[in-house]
């Protein structure tokens, strides 16, 4: 039996934790249950005559020559709905220009552009996208932003345009199929991804609340007329999560925005190894640049309650039970946290199709053991403003 003085101090603390976790658990259920009826993953589509030359693709780059090759190869396989493929390069020093010019010789739709020097009040990625919009043909109905690390599958653009037209959408983003290689990635990356799924749940068919809008800027189709209405990407010019800032501005002006499962259409190899995943992806997932301060603090409480604490509280609860402690509060707390862990392993099964099979994939099932670290990374990132990103240094805005 633990020391009575320790138990005397512990009891009210457990009661407070229970009071914090119960409402968060109910919110989590409300967010995840609609996922049972979420839209099916989009599939590749064949080009349609009415979509001829309707899309300008913009690929922002900065020293990403090793990633860009597969991206351009996949874009060259897209159909005749693509009018032009603009690689907007921020004066890379790694051979990007030569790679793009070689690709252009095989596909004349590919064109190399360089954005002007980065203004002091812009982040690099939205600046490149903004200039891509300015460079784009006014005859294109759609602008498709594609990151250099995306590997597009044949039929991607046709599927996006046809889905947008059929559902009268103004913006549509896709979640990818992730390519992981190293054990640390398989363990940590799914835990970081889960922080997004827990906060935003199953994406609505069409999002109508700006503060709930979420997307993936790695592959984002948007009407050119809507970008014109928003003055390009200026609404996201100081945002390190510019994709979310942009779509929330779109929803705020009444645009129809959707976020769909694109695992059949795009693959992505984002970061190399555990350290880079922790550093680079971990600091962009807090979404603080697109989130009011009150909502951000609410998100941190929520993630701590339903993802950060369950493993710790389950182990503590089991230890106390084995030590002979019999409290109703402890029983409820233990049951709640074991239930949260069971849900979390269920979510592993639910997202497993979003990963390309590969060596080390069994560690995906151990990713719930990284949840406390993942939540800590979100908290840590929420308290800091990036000083550098993709090789650029930034002053505080």
């Amino acid at each position: 039996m633990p020391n009575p003085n320790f138990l005397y101090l512990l009891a009210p603390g457990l009661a407070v934790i229970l009071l914090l976790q119960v409402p968060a658990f109910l919110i989590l259920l409300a967010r995840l249950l609609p996922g049972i009826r979420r839209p099916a993953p989009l599939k590749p589509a064949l080009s349609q005559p009415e979509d001829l030359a309707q899309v300008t693709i913009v690929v922002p780059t900065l020293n990403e020559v090793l990633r860009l090759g597969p991206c351009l190869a996949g874009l060259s396989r897209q159909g005749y709905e693509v009018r032009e493929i603009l690689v907007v390069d921020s004066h890379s020093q790694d051979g990007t220009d030569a790679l793009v010019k070689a690709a252009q010789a095989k596909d004349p739709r590919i064109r190399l552009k360089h954005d002007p020097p980065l203004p002091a009040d812009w982040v690099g990625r939205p600046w490149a996208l903004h200039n891509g919009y300015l460079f784009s043909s006014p005859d294109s109905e759609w602008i498709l932003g594609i990151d250099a690390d995306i590997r597009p599958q044949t039929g991607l653009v046709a599927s996006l345009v046809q889905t947008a037209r059929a559902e009268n959408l103004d913006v549509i983003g896709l979640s990818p199929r992730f390519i992981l290689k190293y054990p640390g990635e398989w363990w940590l990356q799914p835990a970081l991804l889960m922080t997004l799924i827990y906060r935003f749940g199953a994406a609505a068919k069409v999002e109508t609340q700006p503060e709930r809008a979420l997307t993936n800027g790695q592959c984002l189709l948007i009407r050119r007329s809507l970008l014109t209405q928003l003055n390009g990407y200026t609404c996201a010019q100081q945002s390190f999560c510019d994709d979310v800032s942009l779509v929330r501005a779109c929803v705020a002006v009444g645009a129809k925005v959707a976020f769909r499962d694109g695992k059949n259409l795009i693959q992505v190899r984002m970061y190399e190894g555990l350290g880079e995943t922790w550093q680079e992806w971990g600091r962009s997932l807090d979404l603080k640049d697109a989130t009011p301060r009150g909502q951000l603090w609410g998100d941190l409480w929520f993630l701590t309650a339903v993802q950060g604490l369950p493993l710790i509280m389950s182990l503590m609860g089991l230890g106390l039970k084995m030590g002979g402690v019999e409290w109703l509060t402890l029983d409820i707390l233990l049951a709640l946290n074991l239930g949260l862990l069971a849900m979390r392993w269920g979510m592993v099964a639910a997202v497993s199709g979003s990963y390309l099979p590969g060596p080390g994939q069994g560690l995906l099932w151990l990713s719930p053991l990284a949840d406390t670290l993942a939540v800590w990374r979100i908290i840590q990132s929420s308290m800091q403003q990036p000083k550098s990103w993709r090789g650029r240094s930034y002053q505080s805005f």
Side-chain angles (χ1 to χ4, degrees), residues 147-163:
D147 278 5
D149 54 8
I150 286 289
R151 302 179 185 184
Q153 306 302 295
T154 302
L156 160 67
V157 181
S159 179
L160 281 171
V161 172
Q162 290 171 33
T163 300

Side-chain angles (χ1 to χ4, degrees), residues 128-391:
L129 288 168
H130 181 72
N131 281 279
Y133 153 71
L134 296 176
F135 293 142
S136 68
S137 168
D139 295 324
S140 290
E141 181 181 356
W142 300 94
I143 304 291
L144 174 59
I146 291 280
D147 278 5
D149 54 8
I150 286 289
R151 302 179 185 184
Q153 306 302 295
T154 302
L156 160 67
V157 181
S159 179
L160 281 171
V161 172
Q162 290 171 33
T163 300
R165 186 176 66 244
E167 301 182 19
N168 194 29
L169 299 173
D170 300 299
V171 184
I172 180 170
L174 296 180
S175 62
R177 176 167 278 149
F178 296 99
I179 302 172
L180 306 183
K181 293 183 179 180
Y182 304 113
E185 297 175 52
W186 282 104
W187 180 66
L188 178 64
Q189 195 271 5
L192 289 168
L193 176 64
M194 200 58 56
T195 67
L196 287 176
I197 297 175
Y198 273 19
R199 274 180 285 173
F200 296 96
K205 190 173 180 62
V206 175
E207 188 54 68
T208 58
Q209 299 175 282
E211 69 277 7
R212 300 300 307 159
L214 181 70
T215 197
N216 175 24
Q218 293 171 315
C219 179
L220 185 67
L221 184 75
I222 182 169
R223 289 189 189 274
R224 194 178 193 280
S225 59
L226 178 57
L227 275 177
T228 300
Q229 178 183 351
L230 295 173
N231 192 21
Y233 291 80
T234 55
C235 60
Q237 69 183 65
Q238 294 186 354
S239 176
F240 288 97
C241 56
D242 56 276
D243 48 358
V244 178
S245 296
L246 177 66
V247 298
R248 291 182 178 180
C250 291
V251 175
V253 297
K256 295 186 68 175
V257 175
F259 184 31
R260 298 292 168 78
D261 188 338
K263 63 186 177 186
N264 299 320
L265 299 174
I266 55 173
Q267 299 175 1
V268 64
R269 173 78 181 138
M270 292 174 62
Y271 302 115
E272 295 294 329
L274 176 66
E276 194 170 304
T277 301
W278 172 271
Q279 177 65 24
E280 299 296 335
W281 206 34
R283 66 178 177 175
S284 65
L285 291 178
D286 56 70
L287 308 183
K288 60 179 175 291
D289 291 342
T291 306
R293 181 59 57 176
Q295 182 182 340
L296 180 62
W297 282 107
D299 285 347
L300 297 180
W301 152 72
F302 173 77
L303 283 178
T304 300
V306 298
Q307 190 179 356
L309 285 177
L311 180 61
I312 296 172
M313 299 311 301
S314 294
L315 293 174
M316 177 185 293
L318 289 172
L320 290 171
K321 294 290 288 184
M322 292 175 64
V325 177
E326 295 293 339
W327 293 339
L328 178 59
T329 298
L330 178 61
D331 291 341
I332 298 173
L333 192 66
L334 181 58
L336 175 64
N337 283 279
L338 289 174
L340 283 166
L341 283 179
M343 287 177 59
R344 176 63 175 86
W345 260 286
M347 291 302 298
V348 173
V351 304
S352 60
S354 296
Y355 293 90
L356 195 70
Q361 66 188 79
L363 288 170
L364 172 68
W365 292 93
L366 296 182
S367 64
L369 303 183
D371 276 4
T372 302
L373 280 177
V375 172
W376 167 246
R377 185 67 183 101
I378 302 302
I379 295 172
Q380 182 187 49
S381 180
S382 297
M383 303 299 118
Q384 300 172 346
Q385 188 68 19
K387 296 181 180 179
S388 63
W389 200 282
R390 294 288 189 184

Side-chain angles (χ1 to χ4, degrees), residues 88-103:
V88 182
D89 183 60
S90 299
H91 306 277
S92 298
Q93 303 298 314
D94 63 348
T96 293
D97 284 20
L99 175 67
V100 176
K101 290 175 182 176

